[in-house]
């Protein structure tokens, strides 16, 4: 293997890893940094200077010219501003390369150009970035040069969170504190930390870049706003896990190398269900680093795609009629001394701590199903949830046959005396090994499925940050742990109290368990009977952030203040309106400036043929009929665009952000679908030579 391909050497090459810190920092400094990274606290200015110097030297040795505080504003993507290491020239006109502790720890930026939902108007325009010592600094290498990126949190002057990272770090603190109480109560006295671990599987589409550049809708909105279905979709199931074509393989190979250099454990890659759709998954790590790494994965996919004359589409629904893209957020809780709180072991019925943790999670998910659903909503995901390809907007839990049976025993009798064991799979071929069937089995339709030793939250959208869902998971479970620990710490008989809590929680919250087919329409009725919330769209879920229940939860654990929640809601409503507004502008422009002119040329051509026929004394029936059809559809299309513009004007003029967002959803978006309907009908009868944009067939099958 060539040096370039030696993964062991390559891995983490561009990361200021623990190993590099150990090598380059004095022992006491290294220990102080590690201690703060694990247990919190603040670096002294002197220590920060030493760390900054070591970091700078390493970065410069590796070609870095600039540093950047890398953060995650509420746009859901990342932000960076580069500062070179150079200083003011001395008298001789020479510069040195400098990077001080204070520049490492804190940055200042104008927060007014990032979404803040009113926080900046009430308080200050200035925003601050603060070094997140728990996520390693890394070097970003591309045509810009080499930039030292320092993961940071982004806050206002008064410390209000303006980003996705700050609440995530707060929620990790909460789950750590409450999780520790639980494991200590159950006898794990040596544990010093409980962390949420996350592995996020990322789906995406790849299309040819040249074709992409001919589609204004893909350029401006990330999805196709019009486009008739290709003759073939995904009905043959031949793409999922299919042989990876070389053009895509070459892309994946480069993505892996880039990610490995950045310390991202790219592990799994495969073709997904829809044509041109693929998936990548890293190995799980702490929720915070996993969230940063997911951003790096998305950015790397986009960047490397361009090098291969491809474009990576991360939108949740780039194409109508084939599967959209999501992100499976695999989540578990682990102690620093190697215990996974979600590991049921061989006999879950005897694993009291596991059953207790499970009962707490059932309570948390049932009580805050609305928040969990909200955390997985974004504008694009509205096209996906409940559309027979992804879980519906109803939160339920899948636990598998074995655990469900244990719960049933507990609820009915208060004891779980036995558990179903793994069966073996009979293949009928003697040369094949015996396979044990996973007793948790898999229910691919469940939004929140227990898969062995973790929960897989499958609702998250492909373009969205995984920050929000993990904030919610950590916080709701922290609350549940806290309430249970309060009882246990006071209990006279620990074993009895544990037993009572398990039985009580499981009985009260068993309605959240659903093992059946989540895609079935009957489930919607059944869920309603059970009283489970069904928040169909993103907008239906926004206000869940500020119910009394939510405010109490978030304030109790210091995750969000009421002001922060209000601001986030406002950002969500505004983002919704802005997104649909861009989509509407785009479809109008495409119809008026591309589709209608193309159809006029096409009609001219047909009319000429008809006229030529008449002159020759032949009645040409086909062109006549076609001309009439095209002309009727073009009129309908024009009318529908006019109507869309009317609704768009009304929405634009509405001042209240919430009201405006609903107008965009109920009027503008609905009318866009009508426009699309006529455009797609026209596409089906228009000479391909006249159709001005690449078709679904071109985009999905020509990569
Ligand atoms: P699937 O069969 O659904 O693809 P995998 O077992 O391949 O599931 O895991 C998918 C993701 O879950 C990977 O990112 C993996 O690292 C992560 N994962 C595995 N175990 C855990 C765990 N205990 N906690 C969190 N994530 C995990
Ligand atoms: Mg999975």
């Amino acid at each position: 293997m060539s040096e370039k391909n030696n993964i062991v050497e390559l891995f983490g090459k561009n990361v200021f890893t623990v190993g590099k810190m150990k090598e380059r920092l004095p022992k006491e400094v290294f220990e102080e940094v590690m201690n703060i990274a694990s247990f919190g606290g603040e670096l002294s200015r002197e220590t920060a200077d030493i760390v900054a110097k070591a970091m700078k030297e390493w970065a410069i040795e590796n070609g870095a010219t600039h540093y950047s505080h890398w953060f995650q504003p509420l746009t859901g993507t990342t932000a960076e501003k580069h500062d070179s290491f150079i200083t003011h020239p001395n008298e001789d006109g020479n510069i040195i390369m400098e990077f001080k502790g204070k520049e490492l720890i804190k940055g200042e930026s104008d927060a007014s150009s990032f979404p803040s939902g009113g926080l900046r108007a009430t308080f200050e325009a200035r925003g601050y970035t603060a070094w997140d010592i728990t996520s390693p600094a890394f070097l970003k290498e591309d045509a810009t040069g080499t930039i030292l990126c320092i993961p940071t949190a982004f806050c206002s002057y008064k410390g209000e969170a303006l980003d996705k990272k700050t609440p995530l770090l707060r929620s990790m603190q909460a789950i750590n504190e409450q999780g520790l109480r639980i494991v200590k109560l159950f006898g794990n006295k040596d544990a010093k930390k409980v962390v949420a671990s996350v592995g996020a599987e990322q789906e995406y589409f790849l299309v040819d870049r040249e074709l992409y550049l001919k589609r204004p809708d893909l350029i401006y909105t990330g999805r196709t706003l019009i486009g008739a279905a290709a003759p073939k979709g995904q009905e043959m199931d031949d793409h999922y896990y299919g042989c990876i074509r070389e053009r895509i393989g070459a892309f994946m190979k480069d993505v892996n190398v880039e990610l490995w250099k950045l310390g991202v454990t790219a592990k799994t890659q495969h073709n997904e269900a829809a044509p041109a759709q693929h998936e990548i998954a890293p190995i799980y790590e702490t929720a915070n680093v996993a969230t940063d790494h997911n951003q790096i994965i998305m950015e790397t996919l986009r960047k490397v795609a361009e090098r291969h004359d491809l474009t990576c589409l991360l939108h949740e629904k780039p194409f109508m009629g084939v599967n959209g893209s999501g992100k499976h957020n695999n989540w578990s809780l682990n102690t620093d001394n190697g215990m996974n709180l979600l590991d049921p072991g061989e006999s879950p019925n005897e694993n009291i701590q596991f059953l207790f943790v499970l009962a707490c999670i059932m309570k948390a998910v049932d009580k805050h199903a609305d928040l969990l659903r909200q955390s997985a909503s974004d504008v694009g995901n509205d096209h996906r949830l409940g559309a027979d390809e992804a879980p519906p907007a109803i939160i339920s839990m899948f636990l598998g046959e074995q655990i469900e049976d244990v719960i049933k025993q507990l609820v009915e009798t208060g004891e779980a005396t036995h558990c179903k064991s793994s069966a073996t799979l009979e293949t009928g071929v003697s040369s094949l090994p015996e396979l044990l069937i996973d007793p948790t089995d898999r229910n691919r339709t469940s939004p929140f499925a227990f898969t062995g030793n973790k929960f897989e939250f499958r609702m998250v959208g492909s373009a969205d940050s995984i920050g929000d869902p993990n904030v919610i998971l950590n916080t709701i479970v922290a609350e549940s742990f806290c309430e249970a620990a309060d009882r246990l710490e006071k209990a006279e008989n620990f074993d009895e109290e544990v037993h009572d809590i398990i039985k009580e929680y499981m009985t009260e919250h068993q309605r959240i368990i659903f093992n059946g087919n989540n895609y079935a329409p009957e489930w919607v009725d059944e869920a309603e009977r059970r009283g489970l919330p069904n928040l169909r769209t993103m907008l239906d879920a926004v206000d869940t952030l500020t119910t009394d229940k939510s405010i109490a939860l978030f304030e109790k654990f210091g995750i969000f203040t009421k002001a922060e929640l209000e601001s986030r809601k406002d950002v969500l409503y505004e983002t919704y309106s802005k997104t649909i507004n861009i989509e509407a502008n785009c479809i109008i422009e495409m119809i008026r400036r591309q589709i209608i002119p193309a159809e006029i040329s096409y009609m001219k051509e047909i009319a000429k043929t008809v006229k030529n026929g008449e002159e020759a004394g032949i009645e040409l029936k086909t062109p006549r009929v076609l001309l009439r059809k095209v002309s009727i559809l073009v009129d309908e299309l024009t009318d529908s665009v006019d109507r869309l513009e009317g609704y768009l004007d009304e929405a634009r003029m509405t001042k209240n952000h919430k009201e405006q967002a609903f107008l965009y959803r109920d009027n503008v978006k609905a009318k866009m679908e009508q426009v699309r309907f006529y455009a797609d009908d026209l596409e089906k009868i228009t000479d391909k030579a006249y159709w001005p944009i690449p078709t679904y067939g071109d985009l999905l099958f020509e990569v």
Side-chain angles (χ1 to χ4, degrees), residues 196-201 240-241 265 267-268 270 279-285 328-334 340 342-343 442 444 451-456 458:
S197 303
V198 169
E201 305 161 50
Y240 190 59
Y241 281 17
T265 49
K267 170 94 174 156
T268 309
H270 60 84
E279 180 178 304
I280 180 168
I283 300 172
Y284 66 97
E285 47 205 337
H328 290 176
N329 189 84
N330 294 273
W331 177 91
S332 68
L333 293 173
N334 300 275
N340 177 355
L342 292 177
D343 190 353
R442 296 290 174 104
R444 307 303 306 183
T451 48
N453 60 2
K454 59 186 161 76
F455 275 100
E456 188 169 342
R458 302 205 183 102

Side-chain angles (χ1 to χ4, degrees), residues 268-514:
T268 309
Q269 61 195 25
H270 60 84
N271 285 350
E272 254 302 326
Q277 193 186 27
H278 314 278
E279 180 178 304
I280 180 168
I283 300 172
Y284 66 97
E285 47 205 337
T286 70
N288 179 38
V289 176
T291 304
D292 286 358
H293 280 176
N294 182 251
Q295 291 289 351
I296 292 179
I297 288 175
M298 291 195 284
E299 191 178 315
T300 304
L301 290 172
R302 282 205 204 93
K303 199 186 289 186
V304 174
E306 282 190 29
R307 291 183 202 153
H308 288 257
D309 294 320
L310 294 163
T311 295
C312 173
L313 303 175
L314 292 168
H315 194 284
E316 284 80 6
K317 193 74 180 175
F319 301 98
M320 202 170 82
V322 294
N323 272 19
S325 300
K327 201 145 22 195
H328 290 176
N329 189 84
N330 294 273
W331 177 91
S332 68
L333 293 173
N334 300 275
T335 65
D336 60 328
N337 60 355
M339 172 195 281
N340 177 355
L341 274 65
L342 292 177
D343 190 353
E346 293 287 301
S347 35
N349 58 318
E350 288 163 12
N351 188 341
I352 303 299
Q353 181 187 307
F354 169 75
L355 292 173
F356 180 85
V357 167
L358 189 64
C360 288
I361 296 177
M362 279 171 66
K363 176 181 168 187
V365 173
D366 186 29
K367 182 171 173 197
H368 297 293
D370 55 348
L371 281 177
L372 207 48
R373 189 271 176 264
Q374 193 287 319
S375 76
S377 64
D378 69 15
V379 190
N381 224 12
D382 274 2
H383 296 280
R384 208 180 134 252
L385 296 180
D388 274 355
E389 57 175 271
I394 306 162
I395 297 276
S396 67
M397 283 168 83
F398 168 80
L399 297 175
E401 218 182 308
Q402 186 188 42
I403 292 175
E404 213 160 294
D405 175 60
V406 171
I407 292 179
K408 192 159 163 268
Q409 295 175 54
L410 280 166
V411 169
E412 282 171 9
T413 68
E415 300 296 332
T417 52
H418 56 273
C419 81
K420 296 186 173 176
S421 56
S422 315
T424 39
L425 193 71
E426 280 296 332
T427 56
V429 181
S430 63
S431 60
L432 288 179
E434 266 198 1
L435 298 174
L436 282 181
I437 302 174
D438 181 351
T440 62
D441 201 13
R442 296 290 174 104
N443 180 336
R444 307 303 306 183
T445 68
S446 174
F448 195 69
F450 184 69
T451 48
N453 60 2
K454 59 186 161 76
F455 275 100
E456 188 169 342
F457 185 32
R458 302 205 183 102
M459 263 192 186
V460 188
S462 51
D464 215 3
S465 159
I466 55 167
D468 293 353
N470 288 303
V471 168
I472 301 302
L473 284 171
N474 295 342
T475 311
I476 63 177
V477 176
E479 181 193 55
S480 197
F481 278 176
C482 176
E483 287 165 1
D486 286 347
R487 276 174 65 175
L488 284 181
E489 280 162 4
K490 279 194 234 113
E492 275 170 20
N493 184 328
F494 177 80
D495 291 343
E496 258 174 38
E497 189 68 3
V498 169
H499 177 272
D500 289 352
I501 290 177
I502 294 177
K503 179 151 191 247
E504 181 188 314
Y505 285 9
M506 286 189 171
T507 310
E508 260 174 47
H509 301 285
Q510 53 182 323
R511 66 170 184 170
I512 197 72
I513 309 287
F514 181 60

